[in-house]
Amino acid sequence: MEDVMKERVAELENYIMKKCLWQFHSRSWDREKQNEGVLTKTMQILCGEPVDKGTPADRCYWVDAVVLAEEYTKRFEWLAEMGIAEIKQLMQALKERIDYVTITGSLNKELTVKQY
């Protein structure tokens, strides 16, 4: 089961890295907020939960999340076979992976420049 989860996370990550521009902010704190906002809202959409759109940032993340959820649903048929708890676990693992790739494991030194 763990191998299946890793494979699915890799598929979702691959889509984001090839098709989405939102993960390329120039500051680590922007990337953290963006990753959290977009991926949490994507998870909520995939699970049929209400999504907070109360602030301009929330609405911005929501728009990206709607597109991502639609593409994930269309491209990855195995999502339809997953329960809500499994989707939440998958999306948490994806967020951790995206955080690593775009922030903590990134070699981009500009992410930590204090003048930004």
Side-chain angles (χ1 to χ4, degrees), residues 25-116:
H25 277 290
S26 60
R27 297 174 296 236
S28 61
W29 62 269
D30 276 333
R31 289 183 182 197
E32 289 173 20
K33 288 173 60 175
Q34 189 81 19
N35 292 352
E36 177 69 30
V38 173
L39 295 175
T40 296
K41 290 180 185 327
T42 301
M43 180 271 304
Q44 291 168 334
I45 293 166
L46 291 172
C47 292
E49 296 177 350
V51 179
D52 180 18
K53 296 173 268 192
T55 68
D58 285 329
R59 289 188 292 279
C60 181
Y61 301 148
W62 172 72
V63 169
D64 286 328
V66 167
V67 172
L68 193 58
E70 286 175 356
E71 288 299 316
Y72 278 179
T73 302
K74 182 170 56 175
R75 293 172 184 269
F76 307 112
E77 295 175 3
W78 43 259
L79 266 173
E81 301 167 6
M82 297 178 77
I84 290 175
E86 291 173 306
I87 292 172
K88 288 183 178 189
Q89 182 182 10
L90 175 71
M91 292 303 293
Q92 179 59 41
L94 175 63
K95 185 196 174 300
E96 290 168 8
R97 178 66 186 157
I98 294 296
D99 282 349
Y100 174 76
V101 170
T102 64
I103 303 166
T104 58
S106 176
L107 300 177
N108 183 348
K109 299 297 182 197
E110 289 183 5
L111 292 176
T112 57
V113 173
K114 300 286 186 226
Q115 289 80 9
Y116 276 146

